Amino acid sequence: MNTSADMSGTNANNNPYQQNPNTSMQNKTQQQLDDEAAEAKKKRAGPKRRKVTHACVYCRRSHMTCDDGRPCQRCIKRNIGHLCHDEPKNSSSSQVSSNSNNSGSSGSQMQEGRRASQHQQQQLSQFQSTSQQMQGSVNNIYGFNNQLSALPATPLTFASEHMGNEYTVISDFLESLGGDQQNVFPEPGMLVNTTEKFFLTAANPSDGSNEDRLTQVINAKFEAGFLKPYNYVNGYSRLQKYMDSYMSNISRQRILNVMGTFRPAFRSVAQSLTDIDLVLVEEAFERLLLDYDRVFSSMGIPACLWRRTGEIYKGNKEFAALVNVPLEMLREGRLCIYELMAEESAVNYWEKYGNIAFDAGQKAVLTSCLLKNPDPDSQNVISCCFSFTIRRDKYNIPTVIVGNFLPVALG
């Protein structure tokens, strides 16, 4: 038994092809390490990256090696080539870089920067000189008194240079206009004229009902001179001149007698009316004109309307054709109703009008008249069936008289 064991042990020790497993693993590991070291040495044997004196901003921040190209290869690989640039250098670094290989390129960049800065300074100074010239010419023409020189000379400081430049340009522009910056907006204690007061009231009326706000706006508009009561004195003066020129003394006296009958009633009402009340009446008259503009355009009967003093302010084309005048003459009081009537018809109208002018229970009259052309030399007359209606305001004063005329053929 012992002999066979010894023999097997002897054969195991004397076998030249059998190796120790631990020894083969150590040899294989060492061989792999040597191969990897040789391969790394071959990779390092390539061309070395050349170091540069100044790295770009992003390579400097990443503490990575940069190259001379701009953009550099590292920024190109990172897809930020459009952002690659050198970090601005101070005076000491520029002196050091002047001894390097890139001194030529950096010096040209600095020169370009200086030229750009000088160009901006020249533009700013040119704009300021132009603004001063404009200011002088405007002051000489319009007599502006520039009070900007009285402002304190304390320089203003801005956190941003761009904002400071913008403020300077705006200030120069305002100075070129010759205005006073201190009086751009009216102070609370300053007097405001009536026109400005109307605009302020119309834009921002005070609190209250709609009627109160409308009254405030109308009062401000009246004070500004944009609203005025109608001057009926001129209408009566026109009537007086016409009667003196084209009517007999008897006809003129008949018309004056009629006016004497309704004058007391008119005086009793008119004494309590203010200018604002008359302005409101005039506003109502304008609205009536708009209403009758649609009425006259849709009716085929000759018609027109006039004020209580006789001035015609609206007429349709049928009436214009009937009296043979242009339609534009039946606007804005260019003609009077009594100028288109024969003398007896005009007197008859004034008598009938005076009898019901201030009688609230009556407003329409049916009569007849003879119409004529306003030309004094014209002798042709048109016989018409004539009706007129009196429209009164809220104070029972006649405002508008509307007349309809139906031509009648003479037998």
Side-chain angles (χ1 to χ4, degrees):
M1 296 295 292
N2 294 332
T3 303
S4 60
D6 294 337
M7 291 179 64
S8 60
T10 302
N11 293 333
N13 294 331
N14 295 331
N15 189 0
Y17 299 100
Q18 187 174 3
Q19 297 180 357
N20 191 354
N22 296 328
T23 303
S24 61
M25 290 296 293
Q26 291 177 359
N27 295 335
K28 189 178 295 186
T29 303
Q30 186 65 33
Q31 186 177 0
Q32 290 178 355
L33 294 175
D34 294 340
D35 294 341
E36 292 177 357
E39 186 176 359
K41 188 175 182 179
K42 289 180 180 180
K43 291 182 179 180
R44 289 195 299 268
K48 292 183 179 180
R49 184 177 295 177
R50 177 178 151 185
K51 294 183 178 180
V52 295
T53 306
H54 297 284
C56 69
V57 175
Y58 296 98
C59 291
R60 183 184 294 273
R61 291 177 182 176
S62 302
H63 302 284
M64 301 301 294
T65 304
C66 189
D67 53 31
D68 293 334
R70 291 293 178 272
C72 65
Q73 295 297 323
R74 180 174 178 81
C75 291
I76 293 174
K77 292 180 181 179
R78 296 172 62 189
N79 295 326
I80 58 172
H82 60 287
L83 301 176
C84 181
H85 65 280
D86 292 335
E87 192 171 8
K89 301 176 289 295
N90 52 21
S91 59
S92 60
S93 62
S94 63
Q95 293 177 359
V96 175
S97 62
S98 62
N99 297 326
S100 64
N101 295 330
N102 298 329
S103 60
S105 60
S106 62
S108 61
Q109 292 178 358
M110 291 176 63
Q111 291 178 0
E112 292 178 359
R114 293 194 195 97
R115 285 195 293 268
S117 178
Q118 292 176 358
H119 182 64
Q120 292 179 357
Q121 293 294 333
Q122 291 176 358
Q123 288 182 341
L124 182 59
S125 61
Q126 184 178 2
F127 178 82
Q128 292 176 350
S129 62
T130 305
S131 301
Q132 293 175 358
Q133 294 176 1
M134 291 174 60
Q135 176 184 355
S137 61
V138 171
N139 289 339
N140 293 332
I141 296 175
Y142 298 102
F144 285 135
N145 182 18
N146 186 13
Q147 300 178 359
L148 293 175
S149 58
L151 294 176
T154 305
L156 298 176
T157 57
F158 293 87
S160 172
E161 182 181 359
H162 298 283
M163 297 305 297
N165 292 336
E166 183 177 355
Y167 178 81
T168 302
V169 172
I170 293 175
S171 300
D172 293 338
F173 180 71
L174 291 177
E175 290 178 2
S176 67
L177 297 179
D180 186 3
Q181 292 180 352
Q182 294 179 346
N183 295 329
V184 174
F185 298 100
E187 297 178 359
M190 295 177 61
L191 295 178
V192 181
N193 58 34
T194 55
T195 302
E196 294 178 353
K197 181 180 179 181
F198 162 67
F199 289 136
L200 293 174
T201 305
N204 187 21
S206 60
D207 297 334
S209 62
N210 293 334
E211 185 177 356
D212 295 338
R213 291 197 296 267
L214 180 60
T215 302
Q216 293 176 1
V217 172
I218 291 177
N219 290 336
K221 190 175 182 180
F222 171 74
E223 293 176 358
F226 297 139
L227 284 181
K228 294 182 180 180
Y230 183 78
N231 190 359
Y232 283 95
V233 175
N234 294 333
Y236 288 112
S237 299
R238 182 175 179 178
L239 176 60
Q240 182 67 36
K241 292 180 181 179
Y242 182 82
M243 291 190 299
D244 294 341
S245 301
Y246 300 102
M247 289 187 178
S248 63
N249 293 331
I250 297 176
S251 299
R252 184 169 63 252
Q253 189 62 40
R254 290 170 60 185
I255 295 176
L256 293 178
N257 292 336
V258 171
M259 293 184 178
T261 57
F262 66 75
R263 184 176 64 175
F266 176 75
R267 182 177 57 190
S268 63
V269 177
Q271 282 180 344
S272 60
L273 298 180
T274 62
D275 288 341
I276 295 297
D277 295 332
L278 298 179
V279 165
L280 295 177
V281 170
E282 192 64 21
E283 291 280 349
F285 174 78
E286 295 293 337
R287 286 193 291 269
L288 279 176
L289 289 182
L290 295 177
D291 293 338
Y292 276 99
D293 192 14
R294 293 188 293 268
V295 173
F296 286 171
S297 62
S298 61
M299 64 186 300
I301 301 175
C304 66
L305 63 84
W306 56 90
R307 292 181 182 269
R308 60 176 175 264
T309 47
E311 298 96 325
I312 298 176
Y313 269 73
K314 186 75 64 177
N316 58 6
K317 59 182 180 180
E318 288 79 9
F319 184 78
L322 182 63
V323 296
N324 194 21
V325 296
L327 185 60
E328 291 77 14
M329 295 298 296
L330 305 177
R331 299 284 188 276
E332 302 298 330
R334 296 183 177 93
L335 288 175
C336 294
I337 189 62
Y338 50 82
E339 297 174 352
L340 301 177
M341 290 182 178
E343 181 177 344
E344 184 61 28
S345 298
V347 174
N348 182 45
Y349 159 72
W350 281 110
E351 288 178 342
K352 288 180 169 50
Y353 164 77
N355 293 329
I356 67 169
F358 288 89
D359 187 358
Q362 301 185 46
K363 64 178 183 178
V365 173
L366 178 61
T367 183
S368 62
C369 71
L370 294 177
L371 295 179
K372 66 180 184 67
N373 188 272
D375 187 2
D377 298 332
S378 178
Q379 300 297 328
N380 296 328
V381 294
I382 303 102
S383 178
C384 298
C385 181
F386 168 46
S387 67
F388 63 89
T389 303
I390 300 176
R391 299 292 302 270
R392 301 177 177 89
D393 56 25
K394 61 180 181 179
Y395 306 107
N396 198 33
I397 297 178
T399 304
V400 175
I401 295 92
V402 183
N404 297 320
F405 302 85
L406 186 61
V408 178
L410 297 177

